[in-house]
Amino acid sequence: QVQLVESGGDLVQSGGSLKLSCTASGTFSRVNTMGWYRQNPGKQRELVATMTHTGSQNYGDFVKGRFTISRDNAKKTWYLDMNSLKTDDTGVYYCNIRVGSFLGWGQGTQVTVSS
């Protein structure tokens, strides 16, 4: 079983930056994809960024070059660097991982961007 723990969520002013981390624990084989999603109350969870095992990246349309997903395989950790944050970026950010048919989610970390 793979478990994920996110960290790094915080309150930040508009225009500021944050770096989120997601660390996986447990024994697992090759990761297919790892990613970040976000959700606000009453809204659907939306894609922020994903990375495949080959390093291919995909971002939500709203990112527009402001966020970067990266990973440290040795630490089983992936990151989301967020810059030029906007109030619309406020939400609970979840990391996920797909290993074979298994899809796991973290518990979420709150990001709040104030104006």
Side-chain angles (χ1 to χ4, degrees):
Q1 190 76 10
V2 181
Q3 292 185 327
L4 306 179
V5 177
E6 299 113 333
S7 62
D10 206 343
L11 170 64
V12 63
Q13 286 191 330
S14 181
S17 300
L18 279 177
K19 184 172 185 173
L20 306 183
S21 300
C22 180
T23 299
S25 63
T27 302
F28 49 90
S29 57
R30 190 186 72 181
V31 174
N32 296 111
T33 61
M34 57 195 75
W36 292 94
Y37 290 74
R38 70 184 188 185
Q39 188 170 22
N40 276 316
K43 295 187 178 181
Q44 288 189 329
R45 194 168 293 188
E46 61 179 345
L47 166 72
V48 179
T50 60
M51 178 183 285
T52 69
H53 68 280
T54 63
S56 177
Q57 301 173 24
N58 185 41
Y59 294 92
D61 290 341
F62 62 87
V63 171
K64 299 187 186 300
R66 300 181 296 128
F67 300 173
T68 303
I69 187 172
S70 61
R71 67 188 179 196
D72 184 330
N73 290 333
K75 295 182 179 179
K76 295 183 181 179
T77 297
W78 53 105
Y79 307 94
L80 183 68
D81 281 288
M82 302 187 293
N83 299 303
S84 301
L85 283 164
K86 307 173 183 179
T87 55
D88 288 347
D89 294 319
T90 294
V92 180
Y93 284 68
Y94 298 89
C95 65
N96 79 347
I97 188 172
R98 183 178 292 279
V99 180
S101 61
F102 173 80
L103 178 64
W105 292 90
Q107 82 287 353
T109 187
Q110 177 70 45
V111 172
T112 303
V113 184
S114 63
S115 57

